[in-house]
């Protein structure tokens, strides 16, 4: 790879698809392979090499990235806790993203013992009928809530992840209240990206740009309660919304009291993001697939390298695609003239899914920049 000389951003989060194997078949899943491809998962030795590469990259920047053990379902990987231990030994902060259905008292104790910093459990509805429809397995809601209970019993910090669709959009406040009642420390709302299984779901269940705008305002109002940390993922135009509402302003005199799973500085009730843009694909986030392929994020199928062929540091430093994505001035369409492009950037994965061009304008943003109006582009 030819090195790009521009200053490098800090890698904050590495999502590793520890295995393609999963015990569920969710309607909105990003994966396109089935369990039969699990024999191509990185071996234990290869996985340790990936973790060591991540530690080496982390030593070259102000702080170590957080390693999110994801999937598939990471709890299907037999050497998972060995890998978590290896990450911890190298100073990497481990986190776990799971559907929660495989967590019993024994697994919760293993999670506690391994010192995983936070567990993200997916709940795509506040009720069993809504969640189970998206997860396509009866009883998955009850099992996920039971798994959360085991985490709570072991005092393991956990957050609730929810993928927002037309099917559950009316339950947003109910999901917030459910998460609070269960003892969650945060709720992360994921805006649907039409990749993998989600392509078919998007045709019937994806919110319109105007509906997304309404839901972001609702998230803003829920966040204002200050009872839970709220974060929007794959909805970078939320950065515009909160600025229009003034939510991004942290009160003077507040001091940082730590960082959350996403590397955000927690400041009193609110938090001030270290990120320069809402879309962190290739800017503060990387995704490593189960065979070692490296992507800007889990929803953008642009291969930037493979950790079995090039080091993670080399890929992060030298990938032409990553370099292009980091240049907000190279954005096209209305994103290219938007006054919020430095803090939003639009979802590069949705742009790619809609047009085949990851630098095209965000197709699910209702905002029309004044400059676009002046130029006659009112899309």
């Amino acid at each position: 790879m030819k090195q790009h000389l521009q200053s490098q951003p800090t890698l904050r989060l590495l999502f590793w698809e520890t295995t393609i194997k999963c015990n569920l078949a969710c309607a909105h899943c990003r994966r396109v392979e089935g369990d039969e491809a699990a024999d191509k998962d990185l071996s234990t030795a290869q996985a340790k090499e990936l973790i060591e590469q991540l530690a080496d990259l982390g030593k070259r920047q102000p702080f170590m990235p957080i390693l999110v053990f994801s999937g598939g379902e990471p709890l299907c990987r037999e050497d998972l806790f060995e890998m978590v231990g290896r990450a911890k030994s190298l100073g990497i902060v481990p986190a776990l993203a799971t559907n929660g259905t495989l967590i019993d008292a024994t697994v919760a104790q293993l999670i506690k013992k391994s010192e995983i910093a936070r567990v993200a459990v997916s709940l795509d509805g506040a009720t069993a009928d809504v969640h189970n429809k998206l997860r396509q397995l009866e009883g998955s809601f009850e099992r996920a809530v039971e798994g959360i209970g085991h985490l709570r019993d072991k005092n393991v910090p956990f957050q609730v992840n929810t993928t927002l669709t037309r099917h559950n959009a009316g339950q947003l406040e109910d999901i917030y209240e459910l998460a609070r009642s269960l003892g969650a420390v945060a709720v992360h709302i994921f805006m649907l990206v039409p990749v993998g299984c989600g392509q078919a779901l998007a045709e019937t269940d994806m919110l319109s740009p105007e509906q997304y705008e309404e839901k972001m305002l609702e998230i803003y109002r829920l966040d204002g309660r200050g009872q839970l940390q709220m974060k929007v993922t794959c909805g970078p135009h939320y950065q515009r919304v909160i600025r229009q509402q003034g939510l991004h302003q942290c009160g003077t005199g507040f001091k940082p009291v730590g960082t959350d799973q996403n590397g955000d500085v927690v400041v009193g009730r609110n938090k001030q993001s270290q990120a320069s843009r809402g879309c962190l694909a290739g800017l503060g986030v990387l995704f490593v697939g189960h065979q070692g392929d490296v992507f800007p994020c889990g929803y953008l199928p642009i291969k930037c390298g493979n950790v079995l062929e090039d080091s993670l540091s080399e890929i992060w430093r030298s990938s032409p695609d990553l370099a292009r994505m980091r240049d907000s001035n190279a954005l096209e369409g209305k994103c290219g003239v938007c006054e919020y492009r430095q803090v939003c950037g639009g979802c590069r994965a949705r742009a790619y899914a809609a047009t085949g061009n990851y630098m095209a304008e965000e197709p699910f943003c209702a905002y029309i920049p004044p400059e676009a109006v002046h130029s006659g582009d009112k899309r």
Side-chain angles (χ1 to χ4, degrees), residues 172-173 176 217-226 230:
L172 190 54
E173 183 172 4
Y176 178 95
L217 288 171
E218 185 176 351
I219 292 168
Y220 157 71
R221 289 190 290 269
L222 289 171
D223 191 33
R225 295 180 181 180
M230 291 285 287

Side-chain angles (χ1 to χ4, degrees), residues 302-320:
I302 299 295
K303 181 179 174 181
C304 299
N306 186 290
V307 296
L308 303 181
E309 301 167 3
D310 295 294
S311 73
L312 202 59
S313 291
E314 177 69 11
I315 295 168
W316 181 248
R317 183 174 63 245
S318 305
S319 164

Side-chain angles (χ1 to χ4, degrees), residues 43-346:
S43 68
T44 297
Q46 290 170 334
K48 286 182 177 178
E49 175 61 25
L50 164 63
I51 293 170
E52 288 162 7
Q53 288 183 25
L54 180 61
D56 179 67
L57 188 158
K59 292 174 184 176
R60 303 165 188 254
Q61 57 182 40
F63 56 84
M64 279 285 181
I66 294 169
L67 174 56
V68 181
F69 292 83
S70 183
E73 172 49 55
L75 290 172
C76 290
R77 184 169 176 124
E78 294 181 359
D79 62 358
L80 174 68
F81 293 104
E82 181 183 352
M83 297 302 100
V84 171
R86 184 56 181 154
K88 283 284 294 182
S89 72
L90 295 172
I92 297 169
V93 177
L96 177 68
T98 172
N99 61 46
T101 63
L102 299 180
I103 300 176
D104 55 18
T106 300
V107 172
Q109 180 59 35
L110 288 171
I111 292 172
K112 176 70 173 180
K113 185 178 179 181
S114 69
E115 298 182 0
I116 287 174
R118 187 185 291 186
V119 178
V121 180
S122 298
L123 284 180
D124 289 316
T127 55
D129 58 328
V130 174
H131 174 90
N132 292 345
K133 181 178 180 180
L134 279 167
R135 294 283 154 177
Q136 300 189 144
L137 179 67
E138 287 301 315
S140 58
F141 176 81
E142 294 83 355
R143 288 166 60 188
V145 171
E146 183 179 342
I148 284 173
H150 289 302
L151 293 173
R152 185 179 60 243
D153 291 345
K154 302 297 182 183
N155 294 315
V156 175
F158 67 91
Q159 69 184 48
V160 167
N161 286 358
T162 299
T163 298
L164 197 64
T165 67
R166 290 182 183 176
H167 188 60
N168 62 12
Q171 289 196 330
L172 190 54
E173 183 172 4
D174 293 334
I175 291 169
Y176 178 95
E177 290 298 340
L178 174 63
R180 190 171 67 86
S181 69
L182 291 172
V185 297
V187 176
H188 286 204
I189 305 298
F190 287 68
M191 301 302 182
L192 182 64
V193 180
V195 297
C197 300
Q199 286 180 304
L201 183 67
E203 295 179 4
T204 59
D205 227 34
M206 197 152 183
L207 296 174
S208 69
E210 292 74 21
Q211 289 170 324
Y212 270 129
E213 193 84 1
E214 292 174 5
K215 288 299 152 184
M216 287 180 180
L217 288 171
E218 185 176 351
I219 292 168
Y220 157 71
R221 289 190 290 269
L222 289 171
D223 191 33
R225 295 180 181 180
Q227 298 167 320
L228 288 175
Q229 295 175 24
M230 291 285 287
K231 186 175 178 64
V232 176
T233 299
C234 300
H237 29 309
Y238 184 67
Q239 295 298 322
R240 165 183 56 79
V241 171
I242 64 175
R243 278 159 177 77
Q244 290 176 322
Q245 300 296 326
L247 184 64
H248 71 295
Q249 299 292 344
C250 291
T252 57
F254 283 91
K255 295 182 179 179
V257 295
T259 57
D260 67 10
Q261 180 188 338
N262 300 281
D264 288 346
V265 177
V266 178
V267 217
R269 286 182 55 207
N270 296 318
K271 60 188 179 185
Q272 180 172 315
S273 176
Q274 294 175 328
S276 59
R277 238 176 48 199
C279 181
L280 293 178
L283 185 66
V285 167
L286 277 183
F287 181 91
V288 177
H290 74 111
Q291 298 184 62
D293 292 332
V294 179
F295 303 95
C297 77
Y299 302 103
L300 182 50
I302 299 295
K303 181 179 174 181
C304 299
N306 186 290
V307 296
L308 303 181
E309 301 167 3
D310 295 294
S311 73
L312 202 59
S313 291
E314 177 69 11
I315 295 168
W316 181 248
R317 183 174 63 245
S318 305
S319 164
D321 286 305
L322 294 181
R324 187 179 178 210
M325 272 175 232
R326 291 164 184 162
D327 184 4
S328 59
N329 292 322
L331 292 170
E332 301 173 12
K334 68 178 183 180
C335 284
V337 297
C338 183
E339 68 271 34
Y340 293 102
R341 65 183 179 275
Q342 299 291 344
V343 295
C344 171

